[in-house]
Amino acid sequence: MQNYLYGVDLGGTTIKFGLFTYEGENLDKFEIPTNKENEGSNILKDIATAIENNLNHHGIVKEAVRGIGIGVPGPVTNGIVNRCINLGWGVVNVKAELEALIGLPVYVSNDANIAGLGELWRGGGEGYKNLVFITLGTGVGGAVVVDGKVIDGFVGAGGEIGHASIPNLEEGFPCNCGKKGCLETVASATGVVRVAKQLLEHSDETSSLREVNDLQAKDVFDAAKLNDRVATQALEVFGKNLGYICSIIAITNNPEVFVFGGGVSKAGNIITETVQKHFKNYAFYALKEETQFKLATLGNDAGIYGAAYLARIE
Ligand SMILES: [Zn+2]
């Protein structure tokens, strides 16, 4: 019986691993540092060794493992990743190379897609089949799940919601992708702070945010909860732009639920409520009341859950 799954979340500093039962019980979690030396050429060997060691530790034979899922920080098509700047990788056939090293089936997707699958399997989106996961961290990532399958897309850019352009975004902040005015520039943790700072600069309004050194997104949301007017304006800019993009996604693939994860989502229900309020202004009438907005629940473990789930369903 193939009763076990491994989920691997490959990040720029650490590689996280999870051993799961087929049903989704997490039996073990461990991590190793990401060795980026020599263009990251040892990374897949390190992953294979870590899994071999863990199999031995638990006395599990390879025949009992259904497969290994892995999330990588770059666009993926057919198991091949096209440039991971964080790892020093160019084009790497992760599936073929890791399968050759470990002798087990390997399934690969983008890290945000994997996190979305994790939330679908055992997190904020559990019980749904059509979900859009949006991670609001340093940047904004996303995953589109349709009928339980994650959409990588033609060039692996499916779910790259952070780089949706916002029409008439005043100022048009530059984005890391090279464009201006991407959703990420106003809705990521960095973006929320950027907007709040700009609002503070352009108004004489008293605000508790003026007293904060090294302003963080959390400070902005905390102040908004206490009705600080500048913080509330920054929250509204965040909610309006994200709500607008959600309304467009909603008429494209009509998800049952939007799930928000990443550092910003730790602000809690104020996030879902504000986005939902603006979403209703923009959304097609049939979607307004039916579309759910929820918070992610797996935190940093979403990646290992989702990677294991990918090995389960592929
Ligand atoms: Zn961008």
Side-chain angles (χ1 to χ4, degrees), residues 27-46:
L27 301 174
D28 194 9
K29 275 199 285 189
F30 53 102
E31 57 181 63
I32 60 171
T34 310
N35 179 358
K36 287 182 281 191
E37 282 169 28
N38 305 317
E39 280 109 40
S41 57
N42 288 312
I43 290 174
L44 294 178
K45 278 178 229 157
D46 291 349

Side-chain angles (χ1 to χ4, degrees), residues 163-182:
H163 301 289
S165 293
I166 307 288
N168 306 320
L169 189 63
E170 288 150 87
E171 309 303 321
F173 298 117
C175 182
N176 292 333
C177 73
K179 286 199 298 155
K180 275 187 171 180
C182 290

Side-chain angles (χ1 to χ4, degrees), residues 220-238:
V220 178
F221 294 120
D222 285 348
K225 286 176 195 165
L226 300 171
N227 297 318
D228 182 282
R229 291 199 31 195
V230 176
T232 304
Q233 280 178 52
L235 171 69
E236 292 296 315
V237 169
F238 162 87

Side-chain angles (χ1 to χ4, degrees), residues 2-7 20-25 65-70 105-108 114 117 120-122 148-149 304-314:
Q2 293 179 315
N3 284 331
Y4 301 100
L5 307 160
Y6 275 98
F20 294 86
T21 63
Y22 189 78
E23 286 71 34
E25 190 194 344
V65 179
R66 166 94 171 76
I68 298 164
I70 176 166
V106 172
Y107 307 93
V108 192
I114 288 291
L117 278 180
L120 177 89
W121 194 27
R122 282 289 176 267
K149 289 215 89 177
I304 55 170
Y305 274 87
Y309 185 64
L310 187 70
R312 184 184 198 265
I313 59 172
E314 286 288 328

Side-chain angles (χ1 to χ4, degrees), residues 25-253:
E25 190 194 344
N26 180 221
L27 301 174
D28 194 9
K29 275 199 285 189
F30 53 102
E31 57 181 63
I32 60 171
T34 310
N35 179 358
K36 287 182 281 191
E37 282 169 28
N38 305 317
E39 280 109 40
S41 57
N42 288 312
I43 290 174
L44 294 178
K45 278 178 229 157
D46 291 349
I47 291 173
T49 307
I51 291 176
E52 299 268 7
N53 290 344
N54 192 259
L55 284 168
N56 290 338
H57 173 74
H58 290 282
I60 297 171
V61 292
K62 275 191 188 167
E63 291 68 33
V65 179
R66 166 94 171 76
I68 298 164
I70 176 166
V72 295
V76 179
T77 35
N78 301 319
I80 301 168
V81 58
N82 181 6
R83 286 216 302 161
C84 294
I85 297 145
N86 289 345
L87 307 176
W89 278 4
V91 174
V92 178
N93 193 332
V94 177
K95 181 175 171 65
E97 288 186 29
L98 193 55
E99 282 182 347
L101 286 164
I102 198 154
L104 282 167
V106 172
Y107 307 93
V108 192
S109 190
N110 165 269
D111 51 2
N113 286 350
I114 288 291
L117 278 180
E119 291 292 338
L120 177 89
W121 194 27
R122 282 289 176 267
E126 192 173 348
Y128 295 95
K129 286 179 77 181
N130 295 282
L131 159 151
V132 172
F133 172 70
I134 302 180
T135 170
L136 305 159
T138 321
V140 173
V144 176
V145 180
V146 177
D147 282 336
K149 289 215 89 177
V150 72
I151 307 298
D152 282 330
F154 180 50
V155 295
E160 285 290 353
I161 293 157
H163 301 289
S165 293
I166 307 288
N168 306 320
L169 189 63
E170 288 150 87
E171 309 303 321
F173 298 117
C175 182
N176 292 333
C177 73
K179 286 199 298 155
K180 275 187 171 180
C182 290
L183 175 67
E184 177 168 304
T185 65
V186 294
S188 62
T190 334
V192 168
V193 171
R194 187 187 283 130
V195 169
K197 281 186 175 165
Q198 198 186 48
L199 290 167
L200 288 169
E201 225 171 85
H202 293 122
S203 90
D204 301 324
E205 194 93 44
T206 51
S207 168
S208 62
L209 299 181
R210 294 191 194 277
E211 319 303 321
V212 183
N213 291 322
D214 187 25
L215 189 66
Q216 301 293 316
K218 185 178 188 302
D219 303 315
V220 178
F221 294 120
D222 285 348
K225 286 176 195 165
L226 300 171
N227 297 318
D228 182 282
R229 291 199 31 195
V230 176
T232 304
Q233 280 178 52
L235 171 69
E236 292 296 315
V237 169
F238 162 87
K240 186 176 179 195
N241 288 304
L242 190 48
Y244 169 72
I245 295 299
C246 288
S247 78
I248 294 176
I249 297 168
I251 46 164
T252 310
N253 55 297

